[in-house]
Each structure stands twice: as C-alpha cells, then as structure tokens.
C-alpha cells in the first residue's frame, strides 16, 4: 500500500475547491450575502515540482493556500494530499499532516514573534506538537537549519527587529523547514523584499527544492517571479482558475484574454521591445467577489465577450498537453 | 539658470541628514539633477537609498528635528525652493509642484468627501468661489477618466478602489495646474492591470497639460517604458545617470548592472539562473568614506578600497554619467557577468 503511494507522482490534488464566506451587508442588517473567495478551483501538483498561482489581489490565491494547510475548512470540494482526502479528516487525524505542510508568509516581520530570538523561533518549530528530539541534538539541528538557509548561526541570539528583511525571510524559511515538510505554501514570499534581495531568496528556494525534494505552491502577484520559479502556473481571476499551463508556454502562447492582458500590463526591461510593444489595456477594476458577474467573471472587462460569456461559465478545458483554459472563444 | 530656458527644476549638491541618537544618517549625500519642461525623469533605487527624501527635501517636507537640509539649492523657475519661508513654500506645494504618494488612502482625508477635499485644495491656491472650485474639481475628475464624476465627487475615499483613489490624487494635480508632478512609487500599492492604467493616465496628463513628471520607483520596467532620463541612486548618492536608452541598453555602474541581472524577466528563458547582488544595502548611519557599493561589488579592486567615494564622470561621450573607478565596459566582457 505504502509503495503505491510513494510511486504516485502526484502529491496534491485539489478538486473543485470552494470556499465561501458569509458577510453582513452592514453591521445592523441580519441578511447575509456570500463572498465567493474560491469558487471551483482544481489543479494538481507533482512531487518536487512548483505550482505557481498568480492573479490580482482578491482573486483566489491566499484562501486556496489556507484551505490546503487546513486553516480554512472548505465549503465544498476536496483536497487529496498524498492519496488521502484531508477535507474529510477529523481534527485529530488532520494533525498528523500538520508538520508535512508548512507556510512561508509575505511579511516576515509580522509572522515572527518579536520577543523570541532567532534560535528559539526555529527550536519551537522543531519541538512543536510534542515532537520529540534527543536533547543534545536540538542545538545542532537548529544551527544546521540556520546554515541551510545561509544564515550565520551567530544570528541565533538576535531578535527579529535586529535583522534585515532578507535575513528575516530566511529565518521564516528555516522555521518552515524545521518540521521536515513535504509541501510548502509560499504566500508572496518575496514581494516585501528589495529588488536586490529578491533574487537571493528566489535562488535559495530553488536550491532547497533540489536538496530536500520539496514541493511548493508558490503564490505571488508578480508574474515574472512566478514564471521563473514554477513548473506550472495557474492564472486566477475572481475565485476561478482561468488558465493553467507550464511556465514556458505561458509567455509564448497565452490563451485566455485575461492572461494576455496581464502579460501585457507588466513592463519589460528590454528597451527596444518595450518601447515598440502595443499593450492591451483593461478597463475598470476587478469586481468585488461579493457580487460576481454572471457567466464568465471576466466578461465585463473582456473585449472578446460574446453572448454566451454573459450567461455561462466556461469550464477549464485542456487545449494541448498540460495547457488548460477556461474561455468560450478559445478553440 | 540663464541659457537653460527650458529648465524647470535644477537641484545642485542637495544634502539631507537625519540626526538620531546613534549619529548622523546621510539620507541624501550631495545629489544634483535637473528636469526640463515636459520631460519625464525617473529616480530609481531600493528602499532607504534616499530617493523619497531627496524629493521631499525640495518642497521642504522633511520633519525637523530629526531631519535637516544641510546644503544645496533647488532652483525652480528662477528661485531657490530651499530658501523660501514656510508660507512661500506652502504656495508652491500642491499648486506648482504636486506630490502623488504611494498609498493614496493615507494621503486623502477619510472623513471628507473627495469633492470637498479637491475644492478646498483648489480654493487654497486660486481665488475662486466654492461653486467654481466644485466645477473645476468635477472637470479634473473627468480629465482623469473617472466614470460618472458628478456622483463620485460625493464619495468618500473608502468607497473607491485603489486605482480610483490614485486617480483622485492625479486630479488634484490637474485641478491646481501643477507645473511639476512628483510621483513617489505611484503604482506600487496597485494591482498589475491597474498599475498600467494609472501610469498611462499620468503620462497622458503630462502630454496634455504640458507638465513635467518625476517618477520615484524601484521598478525598472516602469522606467524603461515611460522615462526620458534616469537617475539611479544608491546609499544617498546618484551612481548612474543618462537617457533611458543609454542606461537600459548599456547599464554601466555595477549596481545598475546587478539590479537588471537580478530581476526575473518575462521574456527570458525560464531556466536562466538569477544572479543576485550579494549582501544587503548598507545602513547610512556613520557610513565609511569609500564607495558605498564596495562590499557588494563583484568588480571591486584596490583603487576602490583606497579612495574616497567616486564622483560622477562622463563615459561614452554623451551625457551618460557613472560614479565608479572601474572600466566596466571592459570588465563586463571579461566577467561575462
């Protein structure tokens, strides 16, 4: 039994995941409307690969990550982790998987306890949930984790406010690795960092993945970063996944009108190309996830929108191998 | 001044420091730059490099203490902005030089409607009646392509999206007929597609109203598309300047080069490894007198370690300047960096 699971290359399978939050229209009214944060998202991540989720704020990304970690209890759909549907587990059963799935946060300052030293932060993660480790080994283990993320073990005595942004993010990574995870949800891990530090952290993610056979769900709004680090990229819009493709195809052959607009909105640094390029300008803003448009959620901003787009949500169809798109006009 | 009839603002040797208990932080350490009429100039750098402080300094928005403008001049249409007293500079702020901040929500008053805020600003700078001010403000909202401006005038800032709020800030500049718009990271807090909209709008306003624009940003892509000229800042100093074409096609300071190599690009191969700049930006507190980029520079040599900070000097003829002792053009090929 164990063998078959190990041989299976899929680590995580998300099927038709839905996460709806009830919200009050005003503080006094009792009537509730529904905020559809995640509305039917499906994707799979293979072992040792990186799946990137990209899209504008208020689309699906963080909520999906939190559902996978078990922070939210999804409204509908299932999440199959290592062959087991984790949405159906009781609290006690789910605890077994807690250490295997870790998260790295956007703001390393906000996610580190300001009153604990770097050493204690990592140590606490190792011994969390009553995890036992021989006393003599604990110190070595913490130090080796700090070295793994290229932090000098001397830093162990420092507190988060004494560290730079890059060092704090490295500490956040060390803490996540302390539990020997298989899957790491990286939620905007580089967007709060300076440009020159971003590349250091991105390279660190790639090295760690190779060394420790990690699987990442990489969430970011920066398409260039996501494309660089991911094997497959899912583009999200208003609770839906509108396109899934491997990262090479994404730039060469984007199919969904939203993906095209997103790609076109990102300025390039190649002078010649950038100055000559024609851009697709989207009109208006992303609608509120409370009153989502009918049919395809992108239709009010889509220049190709047809009659059927207003009424019927297009399913995510496979166009070529590994390239899926949810759009009526793509064939 | 004389001879530069087209010059709008010329800043010479500006120095701003912050005096804190630990010592002096040289946030802006002797920078000089200029902007011509109808020009778009970008100031690029990472957080803490002094790019925002340099802009706040010229309209005297530095809190003192701890901040202090130690020297230099900022000649704007024939007068030195740094020498103006507080009531004189107040007439310049908003009316002649408009500032657009990164986070529009904190720049707008949350408990006053957008229309009231805009008309109050107009009446501060122009002798018009309330009604006229209201009409000018409505026109300004129309100019920044806010749909249904009459209705939007009665909205509070929180009822608007981030992109819309940033448009209101731009409308403010339009309504007061500013000659110079300084936009400090105007699109950083916005979503990608909204970013593009706001930038296109800013640029079209510059063209239409014949104003000038200084964009302060860390985003090299934004700069490539819109800027006429670029200043790259590092640790309180300008390390490279030139036209957009010169800098983007032939980046010559090791820092500029490093920045470009470390950003993932959409149009490059996925497997291409990023080359990060090692280390972290320096603190500006009691900094040593050598080149600030020295500890992170892959080209550093004896000459950099023995000498004080390099001055800006011309390379390749033209107006392309770098502050570096090394002959980067030659080294670039050798290192394959």
């Amino acid at each position: 039994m164990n063998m078959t699971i190990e041989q299976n290359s899929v680590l995580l399978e998300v099927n038709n995941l839905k996460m709806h939050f009830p919200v009050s229209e005003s503080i006094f009214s009792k009537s509730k409307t529904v905020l559809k944060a995640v509305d039917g998202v499906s994707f799979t991540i293979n072992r040792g690969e990186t799946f990137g989720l990209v899209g504008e704020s208020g689309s699906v990304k963080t909520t999906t990550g939190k559902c996978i970690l078990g922070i939210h209890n999804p409204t509908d759909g299932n999440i199959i982790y290592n062959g087991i549907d984790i949405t159906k587990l009781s609290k006690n059963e789910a605890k077994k998987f807690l250490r295997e799935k870790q998260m790295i946060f956007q703001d390393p300052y906000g996610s580190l306890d300001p009153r604990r030293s770097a050493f204690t932060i990592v140590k606490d993660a190792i011994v969390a949930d009553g995890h036992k480790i021989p006393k003599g080994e604990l110190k070595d283990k913490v130090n080796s984790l700090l070295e793994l993320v290229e932090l000098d073990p001397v830093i162990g005595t420092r507190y988060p406010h004494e560290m730079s942004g890059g060092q704090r993010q490295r500490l956040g990574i060390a803490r996540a690795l302390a539990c020997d995870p298989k899957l790491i949800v990286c939620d905007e891990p580089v967007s709060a960092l300076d440009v020159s530090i971003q590349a250091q952290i991105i390279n660190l993610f790639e090295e760690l993945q190779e060394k420790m056979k990690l699987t990442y769900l990489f969430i970011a709004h920066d398409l260039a970063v996501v494309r660089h680090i991911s094997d497959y990229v899912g583009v999200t819009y208003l609770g839906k996944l509108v396109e899934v493709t491997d990262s090479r195809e994404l730039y060469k052959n984007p199919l969904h009108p939203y993906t095209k607009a997103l790609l076109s909105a990102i300025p390039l640094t190649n002078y010649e190309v950038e100055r000559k390029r024609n851009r697709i300008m989207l009109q208006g803003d992303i609608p509120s996830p409370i009153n989502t448009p009918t049919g395809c959620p992108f239709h009010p901003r889509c220049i190709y929108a047809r009659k059927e787009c207003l009424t019927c949500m297009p399913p995510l169809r496979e166009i070529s191998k590994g390239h899926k798109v949810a759009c009526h006009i793509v064939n | 001044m004389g001879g530069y009839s087209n010059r709008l603002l010329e800043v010479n040797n500006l120095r701003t420091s912050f005096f804190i208990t630990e010592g002096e932080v040289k946030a802006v350490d002797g920078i000089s730059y200029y902007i011509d009429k109808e020009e778009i100039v970008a100031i690029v750098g990472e957080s803490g490099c002094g790019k925002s402080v340099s802009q706040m300094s010229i309209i005297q928005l530095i809190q003192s203490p701890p901040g202090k403008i130690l020297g230099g001049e900022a000649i704007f249409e024939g007068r030195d902005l740094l020498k103006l007293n507080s009531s004189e500079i107040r007439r310049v702020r908003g009316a002649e030089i408009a500032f657009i901040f990164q986070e529009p929500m904190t720049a707008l008053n949350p408990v006053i409607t957008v229309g009231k805020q805009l008309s109050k600003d107009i009446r501060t700078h122009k002798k018009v009646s309330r009604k006229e001010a209201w009409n000018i403000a409505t026109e300004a909202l129309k100019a920044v392509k806010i749909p249904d401006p009459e209705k939007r005038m009665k909205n509070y800032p929180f009822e608007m999206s981030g992109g819309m709020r940033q448009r209101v800030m731009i409308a403010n500049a339009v309504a007061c007929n500013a000659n110079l718009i300084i936009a400090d990271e105007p699109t950083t807090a916005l979503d990608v597609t909204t970013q593009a909209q706001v930038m296109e709008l800013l640029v079209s306003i510059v063209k239409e109203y014949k104003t000038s624009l200084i964009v302060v940003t860390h985003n090299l892509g934004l700069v490539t598309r819109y800027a006429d000229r670029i200043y790259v800042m590092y640790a309180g100093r300008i390390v490279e300047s030139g036209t957009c074409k010169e800098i983007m096609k032939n980046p010559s300071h090791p820092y500029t080069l490093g920045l470009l190599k470390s950003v993932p690009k959409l149009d490059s191969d996925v497997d291409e490894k990023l080359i990060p700049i090692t280390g972290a930006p320096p603190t500006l507190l009691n900094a040593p007198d050598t080149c600030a980029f020295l500890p992170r520079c892959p080209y550093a040599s004896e000459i950099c370690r023995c000498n004080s900070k390099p001055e800006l000097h011309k390379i390749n003829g033209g107006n392309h300047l770098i502050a570096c002792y090394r002959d980067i053009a030659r080294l670039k090929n050798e290192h394959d960096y």
Side-chain angles (χ1 to χ4, degrees), chain B residues 254 290-291 293-308 310 324-328 330-331 334-335:
Chain B
T290 47
C291 170
F293 193 59
L294 178 68
R296 307 174 80 186
C297 184
Y299 303 116
S301 77
E302 216 43 46
I303 182 172
C304 312
R305 288 183 199 101
C306 299
N307 287 294
S308 57
C324 183
Y325 288 117
R326 306 284 279 155
D327 182 1
I328 300 303
R330 188 169 56 83
L331 292 168
E334 281 175 16
H335 275 246

Side-chain angles (χ1 to χ4, degrees), chain A residues 164 194 196-197, chain B residues 46-49 234-235 255 278-284 292 296:
Chain A
S164 70
D194 259 325
S196 74
I197 307 295
Chain B
E46 294 176 89
S47 52
C49 75
Y234 189 75
Y255 175 64
T278 53
T283 64
L284 300 172
R296 307 174 80 186

Side-chain angles (χ1 to χ4, degrees), chain A residues 51-57 59-62 188 217-227 230 232-238 240-243 245 250 258-259 262-263 266, chain B residues 192 266:
Chain A
F51 186 83
L53 274 181
V54 69
E56 296 180 90
S57 54
S59 40
V60 213
K61 301 168 292 176
T62 302
E188 302 268 12
L217 173 66
F218 197 95
I219 298 167
H221 68 276
D222 187 333
L223 195 50
V225 170
V226 171
R227 196 188 80 107
S230 306
Y232 285 91
V233 177
V235 181
T236 62
Y237 190 81
L238 263 190
K240 301 262 201 287
L241 210 51
V242 294
E243 184 160 2
T245 169
L250 182 73
Y258 177 64
T259 315
L262 206 55
L263 279 164
I266 299 168
Chain B
V192 191
L266 267 182

Side-chain angles (χ1 to χ4, degrees), chain A residues 242-292:
Chain A
V242 294
E243 184 160 2
V244 181
T245 169
D246 77 74
S247 46
R248 264 168 245 274
E249 276 277 287
L250 182 73
Y251 182 73
K252 278 190 209 134
N253 186 23
L255 292 175
H256 198 280
Y258 177 64
T259 315
K260 286 182 190 169
L262 206 55
L263 279 164
S264 142
I266 299 168
L268 306 172
T269 48
N270 184 325
Y271 183 83
E272 239 74 294
V273 177
E274 180 58 26
R275 288 277 171 148
K276 280 185 199 136
R277 199 159 71 115
N278 278 326
R279 298 216 288 183
I280 310 166
M281 294 299 288
L282 284 184
Q283 297 304 312
D285 291 309
I286 186 164
S288 139
I290 295 174
N291 292 312
T292 45

